[in-house]
Amino acid sequence: MRMICGFLILRYSPTLSEMTAEVLQVLIEVITNREEKITSKESVNNEDELFATQEVEREISFRTECGLYYSYYKQMLQAPTLVQGFHGLIYDNKTESMRTINLLQRMNIYQEVFLSILYRVLPIQKYLEPVYFYIYTLFGLQAIYVTALYVTSWLLSGTWLSGLLAALWYVANRIDTTRVEFTIPLRENWALPFFAIQIAAVTYFLRPNLQPLSERRTLLAIFISTFLFSLTWQFNQFMMLMQALVLFILDSLDMLPAVKATWLYGIQIASLLLVCILQFFNSMILGSLLISFNLSVLIARKLQKNLKTGSFLNRIGKLLLHLFIVLCLTLFLNNIIKKILNLRSDEHIFKFLKAKFGFGATRDFDANLYLCEEAFGLLPLNTFERLSDTLLFYAYIFVLSITVIAALIVAFHNLSDSTNQQSMGKTGKCTVDLKPETAYNLIHTILFGFLALSTMRMKYLWTSHMCVFASFGLCSPEIWELLLKSVHLYNPKRIYIMRYSVPILILLYLCYKFWPGMMDELSELREFYDPDTVELMNWIKSNTPRKAVFAGSMQLLAGVKLCTGRTLTNHPHYEDNSLRERTRAVYQIYAKRSPEEVHALLRSFGTDYVILEDSICYERRHHRGCRLRDLLDVANGHTMDGPGENDPDLKPADHPRFCEEIKRNLPSYVAHFTRVFQNKTFHVYKLSRNK
């Protein structure tokens, strides 16, 4: 435009009046200024769009439930005031459509609340973005985690060299000891550092002859760490139930003082009850097996006051009766509490466990959803290959074998006492070779080992403690003394040489073989790349109302909540019976159902848009029988697709698979669903509001 006006001035200036020339000159200046403003505005818009895209790319890296948890941290930061932020969490109507829920009651998100308050209070907003503050806090917790492992190993062995070896083993085996690298907001990444602190405190507490002041301080540390562990992870009760079983075994075998076991039982109960209060009396906590078991142990002990007296066979008989009483009382109390509270939140876990351990096949959708996930399967054998490469597994088996033999000898001696007096005397003698804190960590690692072998996701509890236990044994004078005495090579100098030379050689080997690779990984920058999901999230933000309700897979909807703030029909936090029923209903989009049925189900939850994923509709990641569409078919009583056998009572469906048939744009589907977005991965349909 400027060129045209300039050309007119030059071409016709002899014939134009001065006024006309001046007017054209002013016009040129106005147009020039306007074009500069437009260019500047477009540049700003492009920068805003680029920043928004980068933000989405960062947020979708928090996959599945991680994105859901982080969304509440983001929600608290975006609230005008902290009071309004709290109110939004307590009266939330966007996480589950057509329902107002208390998120602080339902989920373990107090850590997000605390972190958001800290970020708002501290003067760091100008220097650190919220996402990095969140990430750095989690990484800082992992440093505390490693420190707690270091301290535990040092307490057990009596030398800092053991702690150093445990920490280096943890880092060298990080593929099997932690998931923090790729699932940062996961609840276990918050909880396990506090659990490690608790184990270190319990290890110190079980030492004999502690001063009263040290004992009280240690009990306080155990209570605080147990409380924080319970507050940050919904599965805390199952981990602490394993710990309670450890205490029960050691107490029954007279391998630790009964008074100290009672203190630890009480701390577990008190911590859970305090968490229950903070979570607005969450019924799942009150109905936990841990509370029922601990109460049963304390009651049974009162009923059998002379449990630790008598001959060997008499003691065995009393222990079996004690075990039977505790088991019956636990089941009785747990059933009574669940009936009173009408509790069904954790029933899917017991269905899963029943099917997993061979107590009958199940067609239950929720149980099969867990059974078909690799994380809930058996521990893969290649795990031991990786652990062996760092020499951890060999060292662990070596130490475990010696301590198990020592524990069996001590247990036999304790049970062979004929009177309580003799029992106390011999216990003092025998536990010199197997101290209470050593016995505790031994049974702890054995029980958590069985848990990890049966369920791969729980390996992180075992492998981290494996580092502690193996390093302690290699640096422990008691372990080397037992070994050298058994082969008639006992000598104090040999013990000194072995307990320091072997760990140092392993440390040198680890530094030589793994340190360069670790440094390379630290220097490597990786980028999360998922353009289809970014495109979907940007489209939702730009083209749908803020109050629109979205249906789809649990994993994807967590990202929708985080990136767009839209309302969801369902989400990945599966510890609620009504939510599980709702999820099964929404997932009928991948089953063989009619468009009318699917539309009615989705509209019953107020759905405006439904997102279909080709990766689920045409899934190939799982084998036949474990694909999501197969789980739905079996639960609906329909035969599965593809070659293979079906149960004889399964029938062919009356309708084709919804997620496939809807793409054909047949009139019966178009009447209820209109496609409004699609790319290579996702298809979004808007639901009609007609009944």
Side-chain angles (χ1 to χ4, degrees), residues 199-228:
I199 292 172
V202 169
T203 300
Y204 184 76
F205 175 68
L206 293 179
R207 283 184 164 187
N209 305 319
L210 276 183
Q211 294 296 321
L213 181 60
S214 297
E215 194 170 86
R216 286 195 294 270
R217 287 176 176 173
T218 307
L219 283 171
L220 179 61
I222 294 172
F223 173 74
I224 293 173
S225 56
T226 305
F227 164 69
L228 291 174

Short mmCIF file of all heavy atoms in Angstrom, two decimals, residues 199-228:
data_model
loop_
_atom_site.label_atom_id
_atom_site.label_comp_id
_atom_site.label_asym_id
_atom_site.label_seq_id
_atom_site.Cartn_x
_atom_site.Cartn_y
_atom_site.Cartn_z
N ILE A 199 11.98 -46.25 58.31
CA ILE A 199 12.76 -47.48 58.49
C ILE A 199 14.06 -47.18 59.22
O ILE A 199 14.49 -47.94 60.11
CB ILE A 199 13.02 -48.15 57.13
CG1 ILE A 199 11.71 -48.68 56.54
CG2 ILE A 199 14.03 -49.29 57.27
CD1 ILE A 199 11.83 -49.18 55.12
N ALA A 200 14.72 -46.07 58.87
CA ALA A 200 15.95 -45.67 59.56
C ALA A 200 15.67 -45.40 61.04
O ALA A 200 16.45 -45.83 61.91
CB ALA A 200 16.54 -44.43 58.89
N ALA A 201 14.56 -44.71 61.32
CA ALA A 201 14.21 -44.41 62.71
C ALA A 201 13.86 -45.68 63.48
O ALA A 201 14.25 -45.83 64.65
CB ALA A 201 13.06 -43.41 62.75
N VAL A 202 13.11 -46.59 62.86
CA VAL A 202 12.77 -47.86 63.52
C VAL A 202 14.04 -48.67 63.78
O VAL A 202 14.18 -49.29 64.85
CB VAL A 202 11.78 -48.67 62.65
CG1 VAL A 202 11.62 -50.09 63.19
CG2 VAL A 202 10.42 -47.98 62.61
N THR A 203 14.96 -48.68 62.84
CA THR A 203 16.23 -49.39 63.01
C THR A 203 16.98 -48.88 64.23
O THR A 203 17.52 -49.66 65.03
CB THR A 203 17.10 -49.24 61.75
OG1 THR A 203 16.40 -49.80 60.62
CG2 THR A 203 18.43 -49.94 61.91
N TYR A 204 16.99 -47.57 64.40
CA TYR A 204 17.65 -46.98 65.57
C TYR A 204 16.86 -47.27 66.85
O TYR A 204 17.44 -47.58 67.90
CB TYR A 204 17.81 -45.48 65.38
CG TYR A 204 18.57 -44.80 66.50
CD1 TYR A 204 19.96 -44.91 66.59
CD2 TYR A 204 17.90 -44.05 67.46
CE1 TYR A 204 20.66 -44.30 67.61
CE2 TYR A 204 18.60 -43.43 68.49
CZ TYR A 204 19.97 -43.56 68.56
OH TYR A 204 20.66 -42.96 69.59
N PHE A 205 15.54 -47.21 66.77
CA PHE A 205 14.68 -47.42 67.94
C PHE A 205 14.83 -48.83 68.50
O PHE A 205 14.72 -49.04 69.72
CB PHE A 205 13.22 -47.16 67.54
CG PHE A 205 12.22 -47.45 68.62
CD1 PHE A 205 12.17 -46.68 69.77
CD2 PHE A 205 11.34 -48.51 68.49
CE1 PHE A 205 11.24 -46.94 70.77
CE2 PHE A 205 10.41 -48.78 69.48
CZ PHE A 205 10.36 -48.00 70.62
N LEU A 206 15.08 -49.81 67.64
CA LEU A 206 15.17 -51.21 68.09
C LEU A 206 16.53 -51.54 68.71
O LEU A 206 16.73 -52.67 69.18
CB LEU A 206 14.89 -52.15 66.91
CG LEU A 206 13.47 -52.11 66.36
CD1 LEU A 206 13.31 -53.06 65.19
CD2 LEU A 206 12.45 -52.43 67.44
N ARG A 207 17.43 -50.59 68.72
CA ARG A 207 18.71 -50.82 69.40
C ARG A 207 18.48 -51.00 70.90
O ARG A 207 17.68 -50.29 71.50
CB ARG A 207 19.65 -49.64 69.18
CG ARG A 207 20.30 -49.60 67.81
CD ARG A 207 21.29 -48.45 67.73
NE ARG A 207 22.19 -48.59 66.60
CZ ARG A 207 23.23 -47.81 66.38
NH1 ARG A 207 23.51 -46.82 67.24
NH2 ARG A 207 24.00 -47.99 65.35
N PRO A 208 19.18 -51.93 71.52
CA PRO A 208 19.03 -52.10 72.97
C PRO A 208 19.71 -50.97 73.74
O PRO A 208 20.62 -50.29 73.24
CB PRO A 208 19.72 -53.44 73.24
CG PRO A 208 20.71 -53.60 72.13
CD PRO A 208 20.10 -52.91 70.93
N ASN A 209 19.22 -50.77 74.96
CA ASN A 209 19.85 -49.83 75.91
C ASN A 209 19.87 -48.39 75.41
O ASN A 209 20.85 -47.66 75.61
CB ASN A 209 21.29 -50.28 76.23
CG ASN A 209 21.33 -51.71 76.74
OD1 ASN A 209 20.48 -52.12 77.54
ND2 ASN A 209 22.32 -52.47 76.28
N LEU A 210 18.80 -47.96 74.75
CA LEU A 210 18.70 -46.54 74.36
C LEU A 210 18.38 -45.69 75.59
O LEU A 210 17.62 -46.10 76.47
CB LEU A 210 17.60 -46.35 73.32
CG LEU A 210 17.91 -46.61 71.85
CD1 LEU A 210 16.70 -46.28 71.01
CD2 LEU A 210 19.11 -45.82 71.38
N GLN A 211 18.93 -44.50 75.61
CA GLN A 211 18.59 -43.56 76.68
C GLN A 211 17.14 -43.10 76.52
O GLN A 211 16.64 -42.99 75.38
CB GLN A 211 19.53 -42.35 76.62
CG GLN A 211 20.99 -42.68 76.92
CD GLN A 211 21.19 -43.18 78.33
OE1 GLN A 211 20.57 -42.70 79.28
NE2 GLN A 211 22.06 -44.19 78.47
N PRO A 212 16.45 -42.82 77.62
CA PRO A 212 15.03 -42.42 77.54
C PRO A 212 14.79 -41.24 76.61
O PRO A 212 13.82 -41.22 75.85
CB PRO A 212 14.67 -42.09 78.99
CG PRO A 212 15.62 -42.91 79.81
CD PRO A 212 16.89 -42.97 79.02
N LEU A 213 15.67 -40.23 76.67
CA LEU A 213 15.50 -39.06 75.81
C LEU A 213 15.65 -39.44 74.34
O LEU A 213 14.86 -39.01 73.48
CB LEU A 213 16.51 -37.98 76.19
CG LEU A 213 16.43 -36.67 75.38
CD1 LEU A 213 15.06 -36.03 75.53
CD2 LEU A 213 17.53 -35.70 75.80
N SER A 214 16.67 -40.24 74.03
CA SER A 214 16.87 -40.69 72.64
C SER A 214 15.68 -41.52 72.16
O SER A 214 15.26 -41.41 71.00
CB SER A 214 18.15 -41.51 72.54
OG SER A 214 19.27 -40.74 72.86
N GLU A 215 15.14 -42.34 73.06
CA GLU A 215 14.01 -43.17 72.69
C GLU A 215 12.78 -42.33 72.37
O GLU A 215 12.08 -42.59 71.38
CB GLU A 215 13.71 -44.14 73.84
CG GLU A 215 12.78 -45.27 73.45
CD GLU A 215 12.71 -46.34 74.52
OE1 GLU A 215 11.88 -46.17 75.45
OE2 GLU A 215 13.47 -47.31 74.45
N ARG A 216 12.53 -41.30 73.18
CA ARG A 216 11.37 -40.43 72.94
C ARG A 216 11.53 -39.66 71.63
O ARG A 216 10.58 -39.51 70.86
CB ARG A 216 11.18 -39.46 74.11
CG ARG A 216 10.62 -40.11 75.37
CD ARG A 216 10.11 -39.06 76.34
NE ARG A 216 11.19 -38.25 76.86
CZ ARG A 216 11.90 -38.54 77.97
NH1 ARG A 216 11.63 -39.65 78.64
NH2 ARG A 216 12.86 -37.75 78.38
N ARG A 217 12.73 -39.15 71.38
CA ARG A 217 12.97 -38.42 70.12
C ARG A 217 12.81 -39.35 68.90
O ARG A 217 12.27 -38.94 67.87
CB ARG A 217 14.37 -37.82 70.14
CG ARG A 217 14.51 -36.61 71.08
CD ARG A 217 15.95 -36.14 71.12
NE ARG A 217 16.09 -34.93 71.93
CZ ARG A 217 17.25 -34.37 72.24
NH1 ARG A 217 18.39 -34.92 71.81
NH2 ARG A 217 17.30 -33.27 72.98
N THR A 218 13.28 -40.57 69.07
CA THR A 218 13.16 -41.53 67.96
C THR A 218 11.70 -41.87 67.70
O THR A 218 11.27 -41.98 66.54
CB THR A 218 13.96 -42.80 68.27
OG1 THR A 218 15.30 -42.45 68.62
CG2 THR A 218 13.99 -43.73 67.06
N LEU A 219 10.93 -42.05 68.76
CA LEU A 219 9.50 -42.33 68.60
C LEU A 219 8.80 -41.17 67.89
O LEU A 219 7.91 -41.39 67.06
CB LEU A 219 8.85 -42.58 69.96
CG LEU A 219 9.11 -43.96 70.59
CD1 LEU A 219 8.60 -43.99 72.02
CD2 LEU A 219 8.43 -45.04 69.76
N LEU A 220 9.20 -39.94 68.22
CA LEU A 220 8.62 -38.78 67.55
C LEU A 220 8.97 -38.79 66.06
O LEU A 220 8.11 -38.52 65.21
CB LEU A 220 9.14 -37.49 68.20
CG LEU A 220 8.63 -36.17 67.59
CD1 LEU A 220 7.10 -36.08 67.71
CD2 LEU A 220 9.30 -34.97 68.26
N ALA A 221 10.22 -39.12 65.74
CA ALA A 221 10.64 -39.20 64.33
C ALA A 221 9.87 -40.29 63.61
O ALA A 221 9.45 -40.12 62.45
CB ALA A 221 12.13 -39.46 64.25
N ILE A 222 9.65 -41.43 64.28
CA ILE A 222 8.88 -42.52 63.66
C ILE A 222 7.45 -42.09 63.41
O ILE A 222 6.88 -42.35 62.34
CB ILE A 222 8.91 -43.78 64.57
CG1 ILE A 222 10.32 -44.35 64.65
CG2 ILE A 222 7.95 -44.85 64.04
CD1 ILE A 222 10.48 -45.46 65.68
N PHE A 223 6.86 -41.40 64.37
CA PHE A 223 5.47 -40.96 64.21
C PHE A 223 5.33 -39.97 63.06
O PHE A 223 4.44 -40.10 62.22
CB PHE A 223 4.97 -40.34 65.51
CG PHE A 223 3.60 -39.71 65.38
CD1 PHE A 223 2.46 -40.50 65.30
CD2 PHE A 223 3.45 -38.34 65.30
CE1 PHE A 223 1.21 -39.94 65.16
CE2 PHE A 223 2.20 -37.77 65.16
CZ PHE A 223 1.08 -38.57 65.09
N ILE A 224 6.21 -38.97 63.01
CA ILE A 224 6.12 -37.94 61.96
C ILE A 224 6.32 -38.56 60.58
O ILE A 224 5.56 -38.28 59.64
CB ILE A 224 7.15 -36.82 62.21
CG1 ILE A 224 6.79 -36.04 63.48
CG2 ILE A 224 7.23 -35.87 61.02
CD1 ILE A 224 7.84 -35.03 63.90
N SER A 225 7.34 -39.42 60.44
CA SER A 225 7.60 -40.03 59.14
C SER A 225 6.48 -40.99 58.74
O SER A 225 6.10 -41.05 57.56
CB SER A 225 8.94 -40.74 59.15
OG SER A 225 9.00 -41.70 60.19
N THR A 226 5.93 -41.72 59.70
CA THR A 226 4.81 -42.62 59.40
C THR A 226 3.58 -41.83 58.99
O THR A 226 2.87 -42.21 58.04
CB THR A 226 4.47 -43.50 60.63
OG1 THR A 226 5.64 -44.20 61.04
CG2 THR A 226 3.39 -44.51 60.29
N PHE A 227 3.34 -40.73 59.67
CA PHE A 227 2.19 -39.87 59.34
C PHE A 227 2.33 -39.29 57.93
O PHE A 227 1.38 -39.33 57.13
CB PHE A 227 2.08 -38.76 60.37
CG PHE A 227 1.20 -37.61 59.94
CD1 PHE A 227 -0.18 -37.78 59.82
CD2 PHE A 227 1.75 -36.38 59.62
CE1 PHE A 227 -0.99 -36.73 59.40
CE2 PHE A 227 0.95 -35.34 59.20
CZ PHE A 227 -0.42 -35.51 59.09
N LEU A 228 3.52 -38.76 57.60
CA LEU A 228 3.73 -38.17 56.27
C LEU A 228 3.65 -39.24 55.18
O LEU A 228 3.12 -38.98 54.09
CB LEU A 228 5.07 -37.45 56.22
CG LEU A 228 5.17 -36.18 57.08
CD1 LEU A 228 6.58 -35.62 57.08
CD2 LEU A 228 4.17 -35.13 56.60
#
